[in-house]
């Protein structure tokens, strides 16, 4: 069984919120000041006045919505509501509506899309786990139209379940070569008080193998870093505790073949994922003696950066593929594919010759894979 976990950062279109735009020192300082003011529980008149100034400086008030329409979803039909007018009208050929709508996403570079498919095809896993997928139609197009272009047989079964984040941050799974999904459990509705425990999703897949074995895959996408580090680390710690609890429950009920994979959005020494890394017996595939990866070039090849995947692989670790001890004993091979990641800064490593800029990269995340004898 070969499994690959890959944060693909969307297939064809990406939410504007996730597109990184370079900002000058002043803009960064204004953003930092605005964030600190927003987080204050009690705001005085001076704080509110400064927030209005910062809002103007950052351009929050520059947008003119009068020229836009708002797209409404209702019963599968398209409705249009002109901003400032309460009456709705259904967009159709009867009313001759001719307008345009501001879309919240940006189409990705076609070369980047091809490189995403190239990474997946090169891995050619039996079980493919993806993070940050828009929807099932995008996944289906990738599977049926793009993968064959790279001599990769499409997957027999694809499954995607919408989580709590409506910005195209879904977890998806695909299987082939006799591997099938037996069940799927979602924890997206669990709460801690009045707050959803997982802002994206947490899924437990039960996978049947051709050899009649069962493997449980816990797929996670933990809280991302958005500026309020203390709050996000605290939320991620609670999420990590729940994942560790799920893993231990599976072990107690007699299941030994368990995988925990996904994007944890922080480095392994961070306290926020301590419950997974230190309080379970899960083992990272990066510790496998024959871990396969293209190492850094030049002086970085023998260097170990704190928080990196391992010596000579000096990119900040955010993605994980962890195995129960029983599965780690069955590990035949493991590795990391970062040929689709553009090295904008040192260190450097081999990449696809189709990538000449960050916009053409498959993702900012490498693909992790493990080959198991099961």
């Amino acid at each position: 069984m070969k499994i690959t976990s890959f944060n693909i950062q969307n297939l064809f279109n990406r939410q504007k919120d996730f597109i990184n735009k370079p900002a000058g020192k002043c803009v960064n300082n204004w953003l930092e000041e605005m964030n600190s003011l927003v987080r204050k529980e009690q705001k005085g008149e001076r704080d509110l006045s400064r927030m209005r100034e910062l809002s103007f400086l950052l351009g929050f008030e520059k947008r003119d919505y009068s020229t836009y329409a708002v797209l409404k979803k209702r019963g599968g039909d398209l409705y249009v509501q002109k901003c400032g007018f309460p009456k709705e009208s259904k967009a159709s050929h009867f009313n001759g509506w001719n307008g345009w709508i501001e879309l919240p996403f940006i189409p990705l570079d076609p070369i980047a899309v091809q490189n995403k498919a190239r990474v997946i095809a090169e891995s050619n896993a039996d079980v493919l786990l993806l993070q940050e997928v828009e929807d099932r139609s995008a996944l289906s197009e990738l599977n049926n139209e793009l993968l064959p272009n790279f001599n990769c047989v499409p997957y027999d079964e694809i499954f995607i379940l919408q989580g709590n984040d409506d910005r195209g941050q879904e977890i998806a799974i695909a299987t082939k070569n006799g591997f099938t999904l037996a069940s799927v459990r979602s924890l997206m509705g669990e709460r801690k008080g009045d707050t959803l425990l997982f802002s994206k999703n947490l899924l437990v897949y039960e996978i049947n193998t051709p050899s009649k074995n069962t493997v449980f895959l816990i797929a996670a996408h933990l809280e991302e870093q958005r500026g309020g580090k203390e709050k996000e680390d605290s939320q991620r710690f609670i999420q990590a505790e729940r994942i560790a609890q799920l893993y231990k429950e599976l072990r107690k009920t007699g299941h030994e073949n368990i995988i925990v994979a996904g994007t944890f959005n922080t480095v392994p020494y961070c306290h926020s994922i301590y419950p997974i890394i230190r309080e379970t017996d899960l083992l990272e595939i990066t510790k496998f003696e024959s871990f396969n990866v293209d190492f850094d070039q030049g002086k970085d090849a023998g260097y170990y950066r704190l928080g990196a995947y391992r010596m000579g692989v000096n990119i900040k670790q955010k993605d994980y593929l962890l195995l129960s001890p029983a599965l780690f004993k069955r590990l035949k091979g493991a590795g990391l594919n970062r040929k689709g990641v553009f090295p904008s800064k040192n260190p450097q490593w081999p990449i696809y010759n189709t990538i000449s800029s960050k916009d053409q990269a498959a993702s900012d995340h490498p693909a992790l894979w493990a080959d198991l004898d099961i």
Side-chain angles (χ1 to χ4, degrees):
M1 170 184 173
K2 186 175 185 181
I3 178 171
T4 293
S5 179
F6 182 28
N7 186 325
I8 204 165
Q9 291 190 312
N10 295 124
L11 297 168
F12 300 99
N13 301 285
R14 189 152 176 82
Q15 174 75 234
K16 289 179 181 178
D17 295 351
F18 300 117
I19 304 295
N20 293 325
K21 298 178 181 179
K25 183 178 179 181
C26 285
V27 172
N28 287 327
N29 290 340
W30 292 335
L31 284 170
E32 186 176 346
E33 185 181 356
M34 176 66 92
N35 284 332
S36 65
L37 289 171
V38 168
R39 288 196 295 268
K40 289 181 67 173
E41 293 184 4
Q42 301 292 330
K43 301 179 180 66
E45 182 58 38
R46 178 176 293 182
D47 295 328
L48 295 173
S49 176
R50 181 55 178 165
M51 288 175 70
R52 285 190 287 269
E53 291 177 357
L54 291 169
S55 176
F56 173 77
L57 292 170
L58 291 167
F60 292 168
E61 301 170 353
K62 289 181 180 179
R63 300 176 68 182
D64 179 8
Y65 289 95
S66 62
T67 58
Y68 291 92
V70 178
L71 182 64
K72 295 278 187 178
K73 291 181 181 177
R74 180 177 296 172
D77 294 320
L78 174 64
Y79 286 77
V80 176
Q81 179 181 341
K82 184 70 175 178
C83 291
F85 294 87
K87 187 177 179 180
E88 289 186 334
S89 60
K90 182 177 178 181
S92 70
H93 60 280
F94 292 112
N95 59 20
W97 178 75
N98 183 17
W100 55 293
I101 298 169
E102 183 187 28
L103 298 176
F105 55 80
I106 296 175
L108 298 174
D109 190 311
I111 296 176
V113 175
Q114 294 293 321
N115 286 325
K116 294 172 190 288
R118 183 175 280 107
V119 171
I120 293 171
E122 189 170 312
S123 171
N124 196 24
D126 302 306
V127 178
L128 174 66
L129 180 68
L130 297 175
Q131 297 86 41
E132 298 192 22
V133 178
E134 300 94 296
D135 50 43
R136 193 180 192 281
S137 62
L139 182 60
S140 180
E141 185 174 345
L142 170 84
N143 185 50
N144 298 319
E145 298 183 25
L146 294 183
L147 292 185
N149 295 336
F150 298 96
N151 299 317
C152 180
V153 177
Y155 286 85
D156 301 321
E157 191 175 39
I158 60 173
F159 183 86
I160 183 169
L161 182 65
Q162 185 171 355
N164 292 317
D165 195 317
D166 61 357
R167 299 173 296 169
Q169 297 280 284
E170 315 305 345
I171 297 174
I173 192 170
T175 62
K176 63 180 179 180
N177 298 330
F179 292 84
T180 58
L181 279 178
S183 68
V184 180
R185 177 187 174 191
S186 172
L187 282 77
M188 60 177 289
E190 289 197 0
R191 293 179 177 271
K192 187 77 170 180
D194 296 331
T195 306
L196 284 167
L197 183 57
F198 292 94
S199 57
K200 299 185 186 338
N201 208 344
L202 178 69
L203 296 163
V204 182
Y205 301 107
E206 183 182 0
I207 302 168
N208 289 335
T209 74
S211 58
K212 309 302 181 183
N213 287 308
T214 300
V215 176
F216 284 88
L217 170 58
I218 301 175
H221 193 168
L222 303 189
E223 200 72 13
E224 60 196 278
Q225 212 70 49
R226 290 188 296 269
K229 187 177 187 303
E230 184 176 340
K231 178 181 178 181
E232 288 146 14
D233 280 353
S234 175
Q235 182 67 15
R236 197 184 303 112
F237 183 85
I238 298 170
Q239 294 170 347
E241 281 187 318
R242 185 66 178 103
I243 293 169
Q245 181 186 15
L246 274 174
Y247 172 73
K248 291 172 183 177
E249 287 172 356
L250 286 170
R251 290 293 303 274
K252 284 181 180 179
T253 52
H255 300 292
E256 294 187 343
N257 302 323
I258 307 168
I259 302 170
V260 177
T263 300
F264 294 177
N265 278 314
T266 193
V267 292
Y269 61 81
C270 182
H271 178 70
S272 66
I273 58 172
Y274 184 92
I276 302 173
I277 303 297
R278 303 298 178 196
E279 294 184 347
T280 71
D281 56 6
L282 286 161
L283 300 167
E284 284 193 74
I285 63 164
T286 56
K287 303 299 190 292
F288 185 59
E289 58 183 8
S290 301
F291 189 74
N292 188 346
V293 62
D294 289 326
F295 288 95
D296 298 334
Q297 298 174 340
K299 63 180 182 179
D300 291 309
Y303 177 69
Y304 180 77
R305 182 170 298 157
L306 188 63
Y309 279 90
R310 61 186 300 172
M311 181 179 288
V313 190
N314 291 299
I315 53 176
K316 186 177 180 181
Q317 184 170 3
K318 292 183 179 181
D319 304 283
Y320 295 79
L321 187 50
L322 305 162
L323 307 177
S324 61
L327 280 184
F328 198 83
K329 291 178 182 177
R330 293 173 173 265
L331 196 56
K332 297 191 301 180
L336 177 151
N337 183 347
R338 55 174 173 167
K339 295 177 184 176
V341 180
F342 183 70
S344 54
K345 299 179 180 178
N346 284 333
Q348 303 291 314
W349 57 83
I351 61 174
Y352 296 130
N353 58 14
T354 51
I355 300 176
S356 59
S357 69
K358 185 177 176 62
D359 291 340
Q360 296 175 340
S363 174
D364 291 337
H365 300 253
L368 291 163
W369 60 270
D371 196 1
L372 300 159
D373 183 16
I374 185 168

